[in-house]
Amino acid sequence: MPIGIIVNVFSIFLGGFLGALGGRKMSTVFRNNLNMAFSIASITMGIYTIAPMQNLAAVIFAIIIGTGIGTLLHFGDYIKHGAEWMQKFISRFVSSPMMLDQETFDATLITIIVLFCASGTGIYGSLTEGTNGDATILISKSILDFFTAIIFAANLGYVVALIAVPQFLILMLLFFLAHLIYPLTTPAMLLDFKAAGGILMLASGFRIVQIKMFPTADMIPIMIVVMPISWFWTTIILPLL
């Protein structure tokens, strides 16, 4: 049973629902202060997961190549269209509080889709649970996701709860693929993979408070290319140096 995935998905759904329900009762100062708190939490988690990386050069190459692929394939545009579809779908059933202008709304929604669906912690946690049944990583992540969903839903509305659907599909796919993927990895590859996820979390933290609007959606392919690049670096390049 993917207990960790179920808990994580439910925490986002419940947090999004409660946040939209009580969003109007939260003061602007309260929401802004907690947004900054979650921003620094995301940045801190990013730094924490980046620190143990094994191959800096491999991760740097992954950032450049992955972002280049995402930009060429217009990953950001696809996610933006998906976000717009989710907003239109949820608006058929409930009216969401619109606390932001449309441009800020779209940018914020894309940020949390990436944060919830493509974080290194979530992907690594799903692979771990699929391999040995350890759900502790995802359950720990669920605590932060629950409160993050509440605060973002206060601004974005019920659409935040709907992010639980693509998140469930992505994490379950990784859960079932874990037995194929995990045996092909090495400890160094996993640490570099987590570091790449930490970089996405770091970029998301900057976006949350609009310090710098990194193209986090276009950066998602970093998570796909980092392990092959890490393997190539450790087995082919390093022995030649």
Side-chain angles (χ1 to χ4, degrees), residues 181-218:
I181 297 173
Y182 210 87
L184 302 176
T185 64
T186 64
M189 288 168 65
L190 290 174
L191 289 173
D192 290 342
F193 176 81
K194 290 176 70 176
I199 289 163
L200 274 181
M201 295 182 73
L202 197 63
S204 296
F206 286 127
R207 277 182 64 105
I208 289 171
V209 288
Q210 300 182 13
I211 296 173
K212 186 67 177 179
M213 301 303 285
F214 284 93
T216 49
D218 288 331

Side-chain angles (χ1 to χ4, degrees), residues 2 8 37 44 49 64 74 80 82 88 95 107 121-122 135 138 152 155 166 173 177 179 185 187 196 223 232 240:
N8 197 194
T44 302
T49 53
I64 296 169
H74 304 289
K80 182 179 179 181
K88 290 177 182 177
S95 58
T121 306
L138 288 175
F152 278 112
N155 286 326
L173 177 64
L177 289 176
H179 288 289
T185 64
M223 304 300 295
F232 183 79
L240 300 176

Side-chain angles (χ1 to χ4, degrees), residues 47-212:
I47 294 170
Y48 177 78
T49 53
I50 290 170
M53 86 167 75
Q54 293 294 293
N55 301 291
L56 175 61
V59 175
I60 295 299
F61 275 122
I63 293 170
I64 296 169
I65 294 170
T67 304
I69 291 171
T71 303
L72 288 173
L73 296 180
H74 304 289
F75 258 59
D77 292 339
Y78 290 122
I79 292 178
K80 182 179 179 181
H81 293 324
E84 291 172 349
W85 180 87
M86 286 195 297
Q87 173 61 12
K88 290 177 182 177
F89 177 80
I90 202 71
S91 64
R92 297 178 184 177
F93 304 98
V94 292
S95 58
S96 298
M98 181 61 92
M99 306 289 186
L100 307 170
D101 61 86
Q102 190 62 49
E103 183 178 355
T104 305
F105 180 94
D106 292 341
T108 307
L109 186 57
I110 290 171
T111 299
I112 59 170
I113 288 173
V114 173
L115 191 64
F116 288 153
C117 298
S119 74
T121 306
I123 296 172
Y124 178 68
S126 300
L127 292 174
T128 301
E129 185 172 19
T131 304
N132 58 28
D134 182 7
T136 54
I137 296 172
L138 288 175
I139 291 175
S140 300
K141 177 179 179 290
S142 300
I143 299 170
L144 180 62
D145 285 354
F146 173 72
F147 292 104
T148 304
I150 288 177
I151 297 305
F152 278 112
N155 286 326
L156 303 182
Y158 292 99
V159 68
V160 174
L162 203 61
I163 296 175
V165 176
Q167 188 208 35
F168 176 77
L169 296 176
I170 292 169
L171 298 189
M172 284 301 294
L173 177 64
L174 291 167
F175 178 83
F176 288 116
L177 289 176
H179 288 289
L180 298 176
I181 297 173
Y182 210 87
L184 302 176
T185 64
T186 64
M189 288 168 65
L190 290 174
L191 289 173
D192 290 342
F193 176 81
K194 290 176 70 176
I199 289 163
L200 274 181
M201 295 182 73
L202 197 63
S204 296
F206 286 127
R207 277 182 64 105
I208 289 171
V209 288
Q210 300 182 13
I211 296 173
K212 186 67 177 179

Side-chain angles (χ1 to χ4, degrees), residues 6-16 141-143 145-146 149:
I6 293 172
V7 171
N8 197 194
V9 169
F10 183 72
S11 71
I12 291 173
F13 178 81
L14 182 61
K141 177 179 179 290
S142 300
I143 299 170
D145 285 354
F146 173 72

